[in-house]
Amino acid sequence: MAEESAAPSTSVDKTDSMDVDGEAKKLLGLGQKNLVMGDIPAAVNAFQEAASMLGKKYGETANECAEAFFFYGKSLLELARMENGVLGNALEGVQVEEEEEKAEDSMAESADNVDETEGSEEEDKENDKAEDKENDSTVEEKESEEDEVGNLELAWDMLELAKVIYKRQDTKEAQLHAAQAHLKLGEVSIESENYIQAVEEFHSCLTLQQKYLEAHDRLLAETHYHLGLAYHYNNQYDEAVLQFSKSMEVIDKRMVMLTERLRAKGEGLAEDEKEIEELKGLLPEIKEKIEDSKESQKSARVAELALKATLVGGSSSSFSQGTESSLTSTVSGSSSRSSKFNGNVTKYLIGSF
């Protein structure tokens, strides 16, 4: 009798397992669709639910959870970028409003000299309003920054989990997924302005990709490009130029391969022809990044020479201040563009995973 009563329980467990796996698969598909459509918050919710379901069933370190963790981390990274962009636009609007209010206050003050007491009271009121708006914007900025940091930290945790799960598997597919996890961890590091960590992650990604991918694979071009960005932001401009150049080399190899394939078949395949045109369009942007890095390197060297000259008393203070100011603006400008610097290049280089 005891054995007969145990059988239905096992059957129910199997049914529940099938439901969990099926529902998680649907959520993963929905999340990927939302990512493509640009509905990032909806994608985050779908991937979060899938990861939670699979984690509860199999355990957080199970192989079955890797895909959900990866996409959850990837979507959180996109959410952090999106919120960072919204915050930047909002702050620009606040600054414009404050400048307009200051201009209006100045005009009102000059036109109201007849009654100084009344003008003084109006000025105090306007200043109070401006201070209140500034305080409100500061609070909103801090709250947004806290949300962004939280999303980036959680993205890191999810991608790190996915990386560990994939790397312990010996298959080519799993190792390439691990490489993509390294790539996204590098992107999280760039968003966090931890450029040394970003360089390490991109190099780890590149090592795995070079082991399993052909020399003309677009994923290699993407990784070299990201590595160039990380070196640029870390003021390692020679290394940045080298990596951007390697990205172009991979693109050139791929265009040669596609062209030869078209010639061999005797007729043009629409997909190959389209890809060739896309790749041609990427080259000018990467060349621009190379020139940016070269110019930044020149500015850095000028600043270094000016500093040395100042230390030995062979340079005027005005010259050294000017070069240091130029260098500061160059470096800070690069950092502020970290979310935008990827641009169209990574949009067309990235693979399906």
Side-chain angles (χ1 to χ4, degrees), residues 190 195 198-199 202 225-236:
I190 282 185
Y195 304 126
V199 168
F202 293 141
Y225 181 81
H226 278 295
L227 192 50
L229 294 180
Y231 276 128
H232 181 97
Y233 297 141
N234 202 43
N235 304 328
Q236 296 174 268

Side-chain angles (χ1 to χ4, degrees), residues 283-300:
L283 294 176
E285 186 172 343
I286 301 178
K287 289 179 181 178
E288 183 179 348
K289 300 298 181 292
I290 291 176
E291 293 304 315
D292 286 344
S293 294
K294 289 181 177 179
E295 288 298 320
S296 297
Q297 181 70 291
K298 290 179 182 178
S299 298

Side-chain angles (χ1 to χ4, degrees), residues 182-195:
H182 275 297
L183 184 76
K184 291 301 173 183
L185 285 168
E187 292 183 42
V188 171
S189 299
I190 282 185
E191 292 297 319
S192 304
E193 300 185 7
N194 187 350
Y195 304 126

Side-chain angles (χ1 to χ4, degrees), residues 235-284:
N235 304 328
Q236 296 174 268
Y237 302 114
D238 288 337
E239 290 84 349
V241 170
L242 177 62
Q243 293 303 321
F244 286 138
S245 299
K246 287 185 176 181
S247 180
M248 292 182 64
E249 290 176 6
V250 175
I251 292 176
D252 288 335
K253 290 178 182 178
R254 183 155 190 85
M255 287 195 296
V256 169
M257 182 275 295
L258 292 171
T259 302
E260 291 178 350
R261 189 163 70 182
L262 287 172
R263 290 175 180 173
K265 292 184 177 180
E267 58 182 9
L269 295 177
E271 293 182 359
D272 287 349
E273 292 175 349
K274 181 181 178 181
E275 184 176 354
I276 290 174
E277 292 303 314
E278 287 179 354
L279 293 172
K280 287 180 179 178
L282 296 177
L283 294 176

Side-chain angles (χ1 to χ4, degrees), residues 13-290:
D13 289 343
K14 289 182 179 179
T15 302
D16 291 343
S17 298
M18 292 175 62
D19 290 342
V20 170
D21 292 342
E23 185 62 26
K25 186 176 180 180
K26 290 179 181 178
L27 287 168
L28 287 171
L30 177 62
Q32 292 179 51
K33 179 181 178 181
N34 289 329
L35 268 183
V36 173
M37 298 299 293
D39 191 352
I40 307 302
V44 170
N45 291 334
F47 292 136
Q48 180 184 25
E49 189 173 351
S52 177
M53 292 173 62
L54 293 172
K56 288 179 181 178
K57 178 183 175 182
Y58 295 106
E60 292 185 350
T61 60
N63 294 351
E64 292 83 355
C65 298
E67 183 181 11
F69 288 156
F70 175 83
F71 279 108
Y72 185 26
K74 178 180 178 179
S75 61
L76 284 166
L77 170 60
E78 295 303 320
L79 182 62
R81 286 171 169 167
M82 183 182 71
E83 291 176 346
N84 188 40
V86 171
L87 174 62
N89 293 334
L91 291 178
E92 288 178 4
V94 170
Q95 291 174 357
V96 171
E97 288 179 2
E98 289 179 352
E99 289 176 0
E100 290 177 349
E101 287 176 0
K102 289 179 180 179
E104 291 175 359
D105 292 343
S106 178
M107 292 175 64
E109 182 180 356
S110 61
D112 200 20
N113 289 330
V114 178
D115 191 346
E116 294 182 359
T117 303
E118 182 178 351
S120 178
E121 292 176 354
E122 291 295 328
E123 182 180 354
D124 291 339
K125 290 179 181 179
E126 293 297 330
N127 288 335
D128 291 339
K129 290 180 180 179
E131 289 178 0
D132 291 338
K133 286 187 176 182
E134 184 177 353
N135 292 333
D136 291 341
S137 65
T138 302
V139 172
E140 292 176 0
E141 179 183 355
K142 289 181 179 179
E143 291 176 349
S144 298
E145 287 177 352
E146 289 175 358
D147 291 340
E148 181 191 351
V149 170
N151 287 332
L152 287 176
E153 287 179 352
L154 186 55
W156 177 275
D157 292 340
M158 293 299 103
L159 292 167
E160 182 70 19
L161 270 173
K163 181 200 73 176
V164 170
I165 295 172
Y166 281 130
K167 291 193 79 169
R168 74 181 180 210
Q169 303 176 53
D170 295 330
T171 65
K172 173 183 175 180
E173 181 182 11
Q175 292 300 305
L176 288 176
H177 286 335
Q180 287 302 108
H182 275 297
L183 184 76
K184 291 301 173 183
L185 285 168
E187 292 183 42
V188 171
S189 299
I190 282 185
E191 292 297 319
S192 304
E193 300 185 7
N194 187 350
Y195 304 126
I196 295 177
Q197 181 67 44
V199 168
E200 293 178 2
E201 295 296 339
F202 293 141
H203 269 299
S204 297
C205 172
L206 195 59
T207 299
L208 289 172
Q209 289 177 334
Q210 289 174 333
K211 182 178 179 180
Y212 293 102
L213 297 177
E214 297 184 64
H216 57 69
D217 197 290
R218 292 175 69 157
L219 290 176
L220 289 171
E222 181 195 9
T223 304
H224 281 300
Y225 181 81
H226 278 295
L227 192 50
L229 294 180
Y231 276 128
H232 181 97
Y233 297 141
N234 202 43
N235 304 328
Q236 296 174 268
Y237 302 114
D238 288 337
E239 290 84 349
V241 170
L242 177 62
Q243 293 303 321
F244 286 138
S245 299
K246 287 185 176 181
S247 180
M248 292 182 64
E249 290 176 6
V250 175
I251 292 176
D252 288 335
K253 290 178 182 178
R254 183 155 190 85
M255 287 195 296
V256 169
M257 182 275 295
L258 292 171
T259 302
E260 291 178 350
R261 189 163 70 182
L262 287 172
R263 290 175 180 173
K265 292 184 177 180
E267 58 182 9
L269 295 177
E271 293 182 359
D272 287 349
E273 292 175 349
K274 181 181 178 181
E275 184 176 354
I276 290 174
E277 292 303 314
E278 287 179 354
L279 293 172
K280 287 180 179 178
L282 296 177
L283 294 176
E285 186 172 343
I286 301 178
K287 289 179 181 178
E288 183 179 348
K289 300 298 181 292
I290 291 176

